Amino acid sequence: MIYLITDMYDWYRDLMDGRSDPRVKDWPLMSSPLPTMAICLFYAYFSKVLGPRIMANRKPMNLRNILVVYNFIQTIFSAWIFYEYLQSGWWGHYSFKCQPVDYTRSPMAMRMANTCWWYYIAKFTEFFDTLFFILRHKMEHVSTLHVIHHGCMPFSVWMGMKFAPGKQLKESDQVPE
């Protein structure tokens, strides 16, 4: 049994330390999948259990002004991320086929990795959509599909960010050691 645990730990350490993108190792939330998983699980619990329970005996909140500001900020944030993706590769530097990751620390490669990280953070800011539905008693919008989608997105983006920021993966790809 101890060998199984040791082998699993060695596999995990090799995956996290030896097969991931070394450039992002020390970036916030990138050293381990556990913080992202914990945040996503709390989001799901809050969305389906805690939030509705807290709001059960309260009046719906009028968040019109907050929603206008939130949606404006989200739109600007998304437009900036899109612009950064275009500038760091998709406008002329990238192929529309499978694109290999540039694991160097060149300015363009780091710009793409940085943009991917901000896209990852954007997946967390989108949790506020659900919070606003709950606070406004719009529980019909907080479907299981909605919660699964928003709850899985940060982790799926974390995987891409950890191992291949700025790349379209294919099966034969190798991560540098």
Side-chain angles (χ1 to χ4, degrees):
M1 183 66 171
I2 193 75
Y3 294 114
L4 177 62
I5 293 170
T6 302
D7 284 347
M8 287 174 54
Y9 178 78
D10 290 343
W11 172 83
Y12 175 78
R13 287 288 21 120
D14 178 55
L15 183 66
M16 291 297 115
D17 299 332
R19 300 191 182 275
S20 62
D21 186 339
R23 300 173 301 166
V24 303
K25 177 183 171 189
D26 296 322
W27 291 12
L29 298 172
M30 294 311 305
S31 64
S32 167
L34 297 179
T36 299
M37 289 173 66
I39 294 167
C40 292
L41 288 171
F42 179 76
Y43 163 79
Y45 173 73
F46 181 86
S47 299
K48 294 305 269 183
V49 178
L50 187 59
R53 188 178 297 158
I54 290 170
M55 290 303 294
N57 297 319
R58 297 172 192 250
K59 291 182 179 179
M61 298 177 80
N62 180 358
L63 303 174
R64 182 165 175 74
N65 293 334
I66 291 171
L67 287 170
V68 168
V69 171
Y70 167 76
N71 286 324
F72 177 76
I73 291 170
Q74 284 293 94
T75 300
I76 297 301
F77 190 32
S78 294
W80 174 77
I81 289 170
F82 180 69
Y83 171 79
E84 285 298 306
Y85 275 134
L86 291 175
Q87 289 297 315
S88 60
W90 293 111
W91 254 342
H93 305 301
Y94 272 25
S95 163
F96 284 102
K97 297 180 182 178
C98 290
Q99 180 67 37
V101 174
D102 179 356
Y103 286 105
T104 69
R105 294 191 182 269
S106 73
M108 196 63 75
M110 292 307 293
R111 186 174 185 177
M112 177 57 81
N114 185 59
T115 303
C116 290
W117 186 82
W118 281 108
Y119 178 74
Y120 162 70
I121 294 302
K123 300 301 105 187
F124 290 115
T125 66
E126 292 169 5
F127 285 177
F128 284 102
D129 292 342
T130 310
L131 173 64
F132 295 142
F133 287 144
I134 293 167
L135 294 176
R136 293 168 54 223
H137 282 232
K138 303 283 185 179
M139 290 307 297
E140 65 274 11
H141 298 302
V142 187
S143 67
T144 301
L145 178 61
H146 172 91
V147 173
I148 289 171
H149 167 74
H150 284 282
C152 289
M153 282 303 295
F155 186 72
S156 65
V157 175
W158 182 90
M159 295 290 285
M161 183 65 212
K162 180 69 173 175
F163 298 100
K167 176 181 189 180
Q168 302 164 345
L169 289 174
K170 59 184 178 185
E171 191 174 315
S172 62
D173 292 335
Q174 296 293 319
V175 176
E177 296 190 27

